[in-house]
Amino acid sequence: MLNARAAVVLDAGADPRLTDVQIREPLGDEVLVRIDAVGICHTDVSVAARFRKLPMVFGHEGAGTVVQAGQTATPRVGDQVVLTFASCGACRNCQADAPAYCERSTDLNMRGGRRDESSALHAGGAPIGAGFFGQSSFCTYAIAGSRNAVVLSEPIDPALAAPLGCSVQTGVGAVLNVLAPQPADALVVFGAGAVGLSAVMGARIAGCRTIVAVDPIAQRRTLASELGATATIDPTTSDTAAVILELTGGAAAAVDTTARPDVLAVAVGVLRERGTLALLGLGALTADLPVAAIMGKGLTVRGVVEGDSDPQTFIPRLVDLHRRGELPLDKFVSRYPFDDFDRAWAAAKAADVVKPVLITGAASS
Ligand SMILES: NC(=O)c1ccc[n+]([C@@H]2O[C@H](COP(=O)([O-])OP(=O)(O)OC[C@H]3O[C@@H](n4cnc5c(N)ncnc54)[C@H](O)[C@@H]3O)[C@@H](O)[C@H]2O)c1
Ligand SMILES: [Zn+2]
Ligand SMILES: [Zn+2]
């Protein structure tokens, strides 16, 4: 058992609180990772607000250094790793190279337990849920499996590596792996948070000549322009659909990160024949969609989890894109000392910053 410090949700709906915890040794293919940096994703905020199996540690954008490896682990002690979502490796979808749709995904990512149902974390002798996305990295140490610890072959600032594990992989992956637009295609991104801005960067990498970003927050529209959007729209002051149709004549592809039913209907409405809407946002359980238009225009509306990516190959590709200057992540990462967890969490909830990243003592020293 190793002493660590974690942000623990103790009561339903409460914010995480920094607490002293103990973490066990890695077993089998697990690794014990010293967390150097961890991003806060909107999914942490929304799942924490309704999670009932408490106490629980969230956090699923950990980046760090392997300090101990289980007997069958593939990462080695000293490796720099990005932690990402967990998958079983054995089911049909994992075997078909689609680990984001692992049949055991809910168990491995959302329930908080481990494959052996034990918890990796304890406080004062009592167990704490610690398997969020197979990591629970709002902690100075985390245990992950070999499948969801991606070894980086070249060093990268941990604060920029952290969001590769979820938000960036999700936004860039949805564009490059799923929508795969051609340069002549217009692509529209609804919501310019970390996921939407990553989709904008993905569209620029794909060479799209027209990239439209929609967000009510002015600062986020400015960022979208800096990252590649050729036009931005404030939905509170514009007729979003009319402006998009005027700019694009009908978009080949759209990405929703808002999970708002009204936005989804607009997004379907701006697609041209055979266009595709990728649903990334989490939260809208149902929505009224124009079925006749979807049928008549041959549209596709599809969900995309974690950019459809195989993290073991896609995250190194993202690191390479960053090295070549094509993913200027520093433009939307805001750093906070791990001890300032409360401030970073409040900023994430209030949408004051796009991507708060907590830096532990290990990384700042
Ligand atoms: N599918 C996946 O695998 C996956 C992975 C990561 C995150 N997510 C989800 O993706 C969503 C986005 O994550 P994020 O971290 O970027 O969150 P975020 O809250 O930072 O971004 C959402 C953005 O939508 C904007 N918005 C609100 N109303 C709008 C409107 N009417 N029109 C246009 N924009 C509007 C907000 O201002 C905000 O900037 C969340 O729901 C998150 O849970 C999904
Ligand atoms: Zn699986
Ligand atoms: Zn996430």
Side-chain angles (χ1 to χ4, degrees):
M1 287 278 188
L2 188 78
N3 291 321
R5 199 137 165 86
V8 185
V9 176
L10 294 166
D11 302 306
D15 290 337
R17 305 251 315 250
L18 284 181
T19 308
D20 289 326
V21 297
Q22 292 78 46
I23 190 162
R24 66 157 167 75
E25 298 194 339
L27 307 170
D29 80 335
E30 292 174 344
V31 285
L32 176 66
V33 177
R34 184 193 72 215
I35 297 296
D36 296 326
V38 53
I40 300 177
C41 171
H42 196 81
T43 305
D44 292 306
V45 175
S46 58
V47 177
R50 58 179 159 80
F51 207 76
R52 292 294 171 263
K53 199 177 159 201
L54 301 169
M56 174 73 184
V57 173
F58 294 92
H60 63 283
E61 289 188 341
T65 309
V66 176
V67 292
Q68 206 179 339
Q71 280 193 334
T72 58
T74 41
R76 305 271 173 88
V77 171
D79 281 345
Q80 188 185 6
V81 287
V82 167
L83 304 185
T84 186
F85 65 91
S87 58
C88 79
C91 73
R92 273 180 304 193
N93 297 328
C94 284
Q95 290 287 312
D97 213 20
Y101 308 98
C102 174
E103 290 175 4
R104 295 198 51 215
S105 182
T106 305
D107 271 348
L108 296 177
N109 292 293
M110 290 295 169
R111 293 258 158 87
R114 293 273 155 189
R115 275 166 292 185
D116 63 359
E117 292 301 318
S118 68
S119 180
L121 281 187
H122 286 77
I128 297 179
F132 193 58
F133 279 67
Q135 55 182 286
S136 287
S137 45
F138 288 157
C139 187
T140 51
Y141 287 87
I143 283 182
S146 290
R147 284 181 61 79
N148 71 314
V150 180
V151 177
L152 303 183
S153 57
E154 48 187 313
I156 160 171
D157 177 351
L160 305 183
L164 299 179
C166 182
S167 324
V168 178
Q169 166 168 258
T170 296
V172 178
V175 174
L176 297 185
N177 298 332
V178 178
L179 297 170
Q182 300 297 309
D185 289 342
L187 187 142
V188 185
V189 177
F190 293 87
V195 175
L197 290 172
S198 296
V200 167
M201 292 190 290
R204 185 170 66 177
I205 291 164
C208 290
R209 279 196 285 271
T210 307
I211 305 168
V212 183
V214 186
D215 200 295
I217 303 177
Q219 182 216 6
R220 294 185 175 202
R221 293 196 301 277
T222 305
L223 264 174
S225 298
E226 287 173 22
L227 292 170
T230 54
T232 64
I233 299 172
D234 177 354
T236 61
T237 58
S238 307
D239 179 344
T240 308
V243 177
I244 293 171
L245 288 171
E246 194 182 304
L247 286 166
T248 64
V255 171
D256 175 71
T257 72
T258 72
R260 291 178 50 129
D262 56 329
V263 173
L264 297 178
V266 170
V268 170
V270 300
L271 291 175
R272 68 156 202 235
E273 295 75 15
R274 302 170 70 220
T276 301
L277 166 64
L279 305 180
L280 274 48
L282 213 84
L285 297 182
T286 57
D288 275 337
L289 297 182
V291 174
I294 294 172
M295 191 281 290
K297 291 185 176 174
L299 304 180
T300 302
V301 177
R302 63 156 292 187
V304 183
V305 175
E306 297 289 338
D308 255 25
S309 92
D310 173 354
Q312 294 289 347
T313 54
F314 195 62
I315 288 176
R317 190 173 157 205
L318 293 174
V319 172
D320 189 50
L321 284 166
H322 174 262
R323 188 178 50 76
R324 288 195 270 128
E326 298 202 56
L327 285 181
L329 303 167
D330 44 328
K331 280 201 184 291
F332 65 66
V333 161
S334 301
R335 296 157 201 254
Y336 295 81
F338 192 75
D339 283 342
D340 274 352
F341 188 90
D342 294 355
R343 208 160 54 82
W345 187 256
K349 280 172 71 172
D352 287 342
V353 299
V354 172
K355 175 56 68 185
V357 175
L358 298 146
I359 313 290
T360 66
S364 52
S365 63

